[in-house]
mmCIF file of all heavy atoms in Angstrom:
data_model
loop_
_atom_site.group_PDB
_atom_site.id
_atom_site.type_symbol
_atom_site.label_atom_id
_atom_site.label_comp_id
_atom_site.label_asym_id
_atom_site.label_seq_id
_atom_site.Cartn_x
_atom_site.Cartn_y
_atom_site.Cartn_z
ATOM 1 N N VAL A 99 -42.975 -44.599 -56.498
ATOM 2 C CA VAL A 99 -42.021 -45.297 -57.360
ATOM 3 C C VAL A 99 -41.728 -46.654 -56.750
ATOM 4 O O VAL A 99 -41.315 -46.752 -55.593
ATOM 5 C CB VAL A 99 -40.722 -44.489 -57.507
ATOM 6 C CG1 VAL A 99 -39.738 -45.227 -58.387
ATOM 7 C CG2 VAL A 99 -41.039 -43.110 -58.083
ATOM 8 N N GLU A 100 -41.996 -47.699 -57.549
ATOM 9 C CA GLU A 100 -41.771 -49.056 -57.073
ATOM 10 C C GLU A 100 -40.403 -49.547 -57.531
ATOM 11 O O GLU A 100 -40.023 -49.379 -58.673
ATOM 12 C CB GLU A 100 -42.848 -49.991 -57.611
ATOM 13 C CG GLU A 100 -44.259 -49.629 -57.130
ATOM 14 C CD GLU A 100 -45.284 -50.647 -57.614
ATOM 15 O OE1 GLU A 100 -44.861 -51.561 -58.332
ATOM 16 O OE2 GLU A 100 -46.469 -50.509 -57.285
ATOM 17 N N ARG A 101 -39.678 -50.101 -56.616
ATOM 18 C CA ARG A 101 -38.386 -50.683 -56.939
ATOM 19 C C ARG A 101 -38.584 -52.106 -57.416
ATOM 20 O O ARG A 101 -39.416 -52.862 -56.925
ATOM 21 C CB ARG A 101 -37.492 -50.645 -55.704
ATOM 22 C CG ARG A 101 -37.204 -49.221 -55.227
ATOM 23 C CD ARG A 101 -36.405 -49.228 -53.974
ATOM 24 N NE ARG A 101 -35.136 -49.911 -54.194
ATOM 25 C CZ ARG A 101 -34.203 -50.076 -53.236
ATOM 26 N NH1 ARG A 101 -34.416 -49.607 -52.025
ATOM 27 N NH2 ARG A 101 -33.072 -50.699 -53.525
ATOM 28 N N ARG A 102 -37.774 -52.508 -58.396
ATOM 29 C CA ARG A 102 -37.927 -53.820 -58.992
ATOM 30 C C ARG A 102 -37.509 -54.937 -58.065
ATOM 31 O O ARG A 102 -37.949 -56.057 -58.185
ATOM 32 C CB ARG A 102 -37.097 -53.891 -60.282
ATOM 33 C CG ARG A 102 -37.595 -52.922 -61.358
ATOM 34 C CD ARG A 102 -36.791 -53.085 -62.643
ATOM 35 N NE ARG A 102 -37.322 -52.209 -63.679
ATOM 36 C CZ ARG A 102 -36.806 -52.137 -64.901
ATOM 37 N NH1 ARG A 102 -35.737 -52.923 -65.220
ATOM 38 N NH2 ARG A 102 -37.327 -51.342 -65.804
ATOM 39 N N ASP A 103 -36.624 -54.645 -57.158
ATOM 40 C CA ASP A 103 -36.150 -55.701 -56.285
ATOM 41 C C ASP A 103 -37.022 -55.871 -55.055
ATOM 42 O O ASP A 103 -36.695 -56.620 -54.154
ATOM 43 C CB ASP A 103 -34.710 -55.424 -55.843
ATOM 44 C CG ASP A 103 -34.614 -54.048 -55.195
ATOM 45 O OD1 ASP A 103 -35.581 -53.264 -55.318
ATOM 46 O OD2 ASP A 103 -33.545 -53.769 -54.606
ATOM 47 N N GLU A 104 -38.185 -55.125 -54.986
ATOM 48 C CA GLU A 104 -39.069 -55.253 -53.850
ATOM 49 C C GLU A 104 -40.438 -55.691 -54.352
ATOM 50 O O GLU A 104 -40.860 -55.325 -55.446
ATOM 51 C CB GLU A 104 -39.195 -53.914 -53.108
ATOM 52 C CG GLU A 104 -37.889 -53.474 -52.468
ATOM 53 C CD GLU A 104 -38.072 -52.181 -51.737
ATOM 54 O OE1 GLU A 104 -39.186 -51.622 -51.776
ATOM 55 O OE2 GLU A 104 -37.085 -51.704 -51.122
ATOM 56 N N PRO A 105 -41.167 -56.452 -53.573
ATOM 57 C CA PRO A 105 -42.509 -56.889 -53.999
ATOM 58 C C PRO A 105 -43.458 -55.713 -54.031
ATOM 59 O O PRO A 105 -43.292 -54.741 -53.308
ATOM 60 C CB PRO A 105 -42.899 -57.912 -52.933
ATOM 61 C CG PRO A 105 -42.096 -57.513 -51.729
ATOM 62 C CD PRO A 105 -40.789 -57.014 -52.282
ATOM 63 N N ALA A 106 -44.441 -55.806 -54.915
ATOM 64 C CA ALA A 106 -45.434 -54.736 -55.040
ATOM 65 C C ALA A 106 -46.287 -54.683 -53.795
ATOM 66 O O ALA A 106 -46.599 -55.694 -53.159
ATOM 67 C CB ALA A 106 -46.305 -54.956 -56.279
ATOM 68 N N VAL A 107 -46.671 -53.483 -53.443
ATOM 69 C CA VAL A 107 -47.487 -53.248 -52.250
ATOM 70 C C VAL A 107 -48.907 -52.991 -52.694
ATOM 71 O O VAL A 107 -49.146 -52.176 -53.589
ATOM 72 C CB VAL A 107 -46.952 -52.058 -51.443
ATOM 73 C CG1 VAL A 107 -47.812 -51.816 -50.205
ATOM 74 C CG2 VAL A 107 -45.516 -52.319 -51.042
ATOM 75 N N VAL A 108 -49.829 -53.686 -52.096
ATOM 76 C CA VAL A 108 -51.250 -53.506 -52.419
ATOM 77 C C VAL A 108 -51.751 -52.256 -51.702
ATOM 78 O O VAL A 108 -51.652 -52.152 -50.475
ATOM 79 C CB VAL A 108 -52.067 -54.747 -51.980
ATOM 80 C CG1 VAL A 108 -53.550 -54.534 -52.296
ATOM 81 C CG2 VAL A 108 -51.541 -55.990 -52.658
ATOM 82 N N ARG A 109 -52.198 -51.273 -52.473
ATOM 83 C CA ARG A 109 -52.672 -50.005 -51.920
ATOM 84 C C ARG A 109 -54.190 -50.035 -51.777
ATOM 85 O O ARG A 109 -54.891 -50.355 -52.711
ATOM 86 C CB ARG A 109 -52.249 -48.841 -52.817
ATOM 87 C CG ARG A 109 -50.741 -48.650 -52.855
ATOM 88 C CD ARG A 109 -50.374 -47.569 -53.843
ATOM 89 N NE ARG A 109 -48.956 -47.288 -53.792
ATOM 90 C CZ ARG A 109 -48.029 -48.009 -54.416
ATOM 91 N NH1 ARG A 109 -48.398 -49.034 -55.148
ATOM 92 N NH2 ARG A 109 -46.744 -47.699 -54.301
ATOM 93 N N ARG A 110 -54.649 -49.703 -50.611
ATOM 94 C CA ARG A 110 -56.084 -49.622 -50.350
ATOM 95 C C ARG A 110 -56.518 -48.161 -50.344
ATOM 96 O O ARG A 110 -55.746 -47.291 -49.987
ATOM 97 C CB ARG A 110 -56.398 -50.258 -49.002
ATOM 98 C CG ARG A 110 -56.036 -51.739 -48.963
ATOM 99 C CD ARG A 110 -56.363 -52.308 -47.604
ATOM 100 N NE ARG A 110 -55.994 -53.723 -47.543
ATOM 101 C CZ ARG A 110 -56.167 -54.466 -46.439
ATOM 102 N NH1 ARG A 110 -56.669 -53.922 -45.328
ATOM 103 N NH2 ARG A 110 -55.832 -55.746 -46.468
ATOM 104 N N PRO A 111 -57.771 -47.934 -50.707
ATOM 105 C CA PRO A 111 -58.244 -46.539 -50.647
ATOM 106 C C PRO A 111 -58.281 -46.038 -49.218
ATOM 107 O O PRO A 111 -58.562 -46.787 -48.290
ATOM 108 C CB PRO A 111 -59.631 -46.623 -51.273
ATOM 109 C CG PRO A 111 -60.063 -48.052 -51.087
ATOM 110 C CD PRO A 111 -58.814 -48.863 -51.197
ATOM 111 N N LEU A 112 -58.013 -44.731 -49.061
ATOM 112 C CA LEU A 112 -57.986 -44.120 -47.739
ATOM 113 C C LEU A 112 -59.387 -43.909 -47.223
ATOM 114 O O LEU A 112 -60.307 -43.534 -47.959
ATOM 115 C CB LEU A 112 -57.261 -42.783 -47.786
ATOM 116 C CG LEU A 112 -55.762 -42.841 -48.083
ATOM 117 C CD1 LEU A 112 -55.218 -41.432 -48.227
ATOM 118 C CD2 LEU A 112 -55.041 -43.625 -47.011
ATOM 119 N N ASP A 113 -59.545 -44.158 -45.952
ATOM 120 C CA ASP A 113 -60.819 -43.904 -45.291
ATOM 121 C C ASP A 113 -60.856 -42.449 -44.850
ATOM 122 O O ASP A 113 -59.969 -42.011 -44.098
ATOM 123 C CB ASP A 113 -60.955 -44.823 -44.079
ATOM 124 C CG ASP A 113 -62.333 -44.697 -43.431
ATOM 125 O OD1 ASP A 113 -63.179 -43.964 -43.987
ATOM 126 O OD2 ASP A 113 -62.522 -45.304 -42.362
ATOM 127 N N PRO A 114 -61.844 -41.701 -45.333
ATOM 128 C CA PRO A 114 -61.881 -40.286 -44.927
ATOM 129 C C PRO A 114 -61.972 -40.105 -43.433
ATOM 130 O O PRO A 114 -61.465 -39.123 -42.890
ATOM 131 C CB PRO A 114 -63.128 -39.746 -45.640
ATOM 132 C CG PRO A 114 -63.369 -40.682 -46.769
ATOM 133 C CD PRO A 114 -62.912 -42.045 -46.298
ATOM 134 N N ALA A 115 -62.583 -41.040 -42.759
ATOM 135 C CA ALA A 115 -62.722 -40.875 -41.306
ATOM 136 C C ALA A 115 -61.411 -41.057 -40.579
ATOM 137 O O ALA A 115 -61.239 -40.601 -39.448
ATOM 138 C CB ALA A 115 -63.762 -41.873 -40.770
ATOM 139 N N SER A 116 -60.481 -41.782 -41.227
ATOM 140 C CA SER A 116 -59.191 -42.012 -40.571
ATOM 141 C C SER A 116 -58.235 -40.852 -40.690
ATOM 142 O O SER A 116 -57.185 -40.851 -40.076
ATOM 143 C CB SER A 116 -58.527 -43.267 -41.146
ATOM 144 O OG SER A 116 -58.254 -43.059 -42.531
ATOM 145 N N VAL A 117 -58.547 -39.896 -41.540
ATOM 146 C CA VAL A 117 -57.681 -38.735 -41.733
ATOM 147 C C VAL A 117 -58.136 -37.628 -40.796
ATOM 148 O O VAL A 117 -59.299 -37.220 -40.831
ATOM 149 C CB VAL A 117 -57.723 -38.238 -43.194
ATOM 150 C CG1 VAL A 117 -56.814 -37.032 -43.374
ATOM 151 C CG2 VAL A 117 -57.326 -39.370 -44.124
ATOM 152 N N ALA A 118 -57.250 -37.170 -39.936
ATOM 153 C CA ALA A 118 -57.582 -36.110 -38.979
ATOM 154 C C ALA A 118 -57.710 -34.794 -39.699
ATOM 155 O O ALA A 118 -56.940 -34.497 -40.618
ATOM 156 C CB ALA A 118 -56.516 -36.014 -37.894
ATOM 157 N N PRO A 119 -58.719 -33.994 -39.341
ATOM 158 C CA PRO A 119 -58.859 -32.685 -39.993
ATOM 159 C C PRO A 119 -57.701 -31.773 -39.644
ATOM 160 O O PRO A 119 -57.098 -31.874 -38.580
ATOM 161 C CB PRO A 119 -60.189 -32.163 -39.426
ATOM 162 C CG PRO A 119 -60.317 -32.843 -38.107
ATOM 163 C CD PRO A 119 -59.726 -34.225 -38.294
#
Side-chain angles (χ1 to χ4, degrees):
V99 179
E100 297 184 358
R101 298 176 60 180
R102 296 183 177 179
D103 55 347
E104 294 181 357
V107 180
V108 179
R109 294 175 174 82
R110 298 180 181 179
L112 293 175
D113 186 4
S116 63
V117 180

